[in-house]
Amino acid sequence: MTKSKGKVYLVGAGPGEVDYLTVKAYKLLSTAEVLIYDALVDEELLKLVPHNCLKIHVGKRGGLPSTPQSEINGLLVKYCQQEKQVIRLKSGDPFIFGRCILEIQALKNAGCDFEVVPGISSVTSAPLLAGIPLTDAVMSKCFAVSSAHQPDILDWEALSRLDTLVLLMGGKHLREIVDQLIKYGKNKSTPVAIIRKAGTSEQQVWIAELSTIVEHVKTVRLSPAVIVIGKIVSYGSFSEKM
């Protein structure tokens, strides 16, 4: 199949504000002809594209209305085949829970040229911005990352044994997360940090024990948020303590 002369760049925008954009992503945005972007992308990034760039917002935020993935795939293919330079802008890193594989498959099937541009993921940056090291020779010899969007399909018995656990998209399932970890033997006094809107001026951090964290944030809408569970949480410096 002959490739289109257009090209799609699947770009990671980083965890929050424009400061966390990579140099390569910045350069690509400055020459974009079509920008297809997600809900969590910082609005300041939209100012980096040329004034005549077509900007298409496609949502993709958990729990809220969003453009169907098949329609997003179609937009990428359509504008690439029109020989446009297309930027598909995703928050964080495009390969961390970003549905990038579905978009790549659609581009491959249509013979469209593409390139993936890594971004700084909230998996590692959110804990860092909250003063939490994910590894330590004693407290945290390993860490694991999981989406908690569907907590009922996770192996909580295995997750409960890990030194440090990082959960994305788990805000509205916090009670179930806590209950499952305690059920499978996680100490109730294990420290938990919740980092909301990491990398922005609105960043908030809550720290409490596993048994009490739900009570501390019961009136807060925890989206977007990164949850860190493990002894290493007590090692960091925080913007707010409970």
Side-chain angles (χ1 to χ4, degrees):
M1 182 181 293
T2 303
K3 284 186 175 292
S4 165
K5 292 181 181 179
K7 188 169 183 177
V8 176
Y9 295 88
L10 300 111
V11 178
E17 295 173 349
V18 66
D19 294 355
Y20 301 106
L21 192 69
T22 65
V23 173
K24 181 162 187 174
Y26 178 87
K27 290 178 178 179
L28 287 171
L29 284 170
S30 70
T31 61
E33 295 178 286
V34 179
L35 177 69
I36 300 174
Y37 64 100
D38 281 353
L40 294 178
V41 167
D42 183 7
E43 291 289 319
E44 288 297 310
L45 294 173
L46 306 185
K47 300 177 182 179
L48 300 180
V49 300
H51 72 278
N52 59 344
C53 174
L54 175 63
K55 296 187 284 289
I56 304 173
H57 177 259
V58 292
K60 305 310 294 178
R61 185 168 182 181
L64 297 175
S66 60
T67 307
Q69 186 62 53
S70 59
E71 187 173 331
I72 296 173
N73 296 348
L75 288 169
L76 296 175
V77 170
K78 171 186 173 181
Y79 288 109
C80 184
Q81 291 179 336
Q82 290 180 10
E83 301 187 0
K84 303 292 187 182
Q85 175 156 302
V86 183
I87 307 297
R88 173 69 174 105
L89 194 62
K90 301 165 178 278
S91 63
D93 181 272
F95 265 50
I96 305 295
F97 306 121
R99 302 186 184 183
C100 210
I101 293 175
L102 295 175
E103 294 171 7
I104 287 174
Q105 191 59 57
L107 292 168
K108 283 184 174 181
N109 291 343
C112 292
D113 194 13
F114 68 90
E115 181 179 336
V116 179
V117 180
I120 299 173
S121 173
S122 62
V123 168
T124 53
S125 61
L128 175 64
L129 291 168
I132 303 170
L134 288 181
T135 61
D136 177 76
V138 177
M139 288 191 194
S140 182
K141 295 180 180 179
C142 69
F143 70 91
V145 181
S146 177
S147 163
H149 178 61
Q150 295 179 288
D152 54 308
I153 67 173
L154 298 178
D155 185 347
W156 290 106
E157 185 176 4
L159 293 175
S160 67
R161 295 196 297 268
L162 295 167
D163 289 351
T164 303
L165 182 60
V166 181
L167 298 174
L168 276 63
M169 297 176 277
K172 69 178 182 178
H173 301 296
L174 184 61
R175 167 60 70 184
E176 184 174 353
I177 290 167
V178 168
D179 289 347
Q180 289 288 354
L181 289 172
I182 291 175
K183 175 183 176 180
Y184 286 105
K186 202 72 171 175
N187 194 309
K188 293 181 179 181
S189 64
T190 301
V192 178
I194 298 178
I195 307 125
R196 180 175 179 267
K197 293 190 175 182
T200 75
S201 59
E202 299 176 37
Q203 177 175 305
Q204 292 176 283
V205 182
W206 294 269
I207 304 95
E209 294 184 351
L210 188 61
S211 61
T212 61
I213 188 63
V214 174
E215 184 66 22
H216 284 303
V217 296
K218 64 181 180 181
T219 63
V220 182
R221 187 179 187 279
L222 296 176
S223 178
V226 175
I227 304 169
V228 185
I229 303 166
K231 292 180 181 178
I232 196 65
V233 170
S234 63
Y235 191 79
S237 58
F238 305 101
S239 58
E240 180 178 348
K241 288 193 175 184
M242 294 294 181

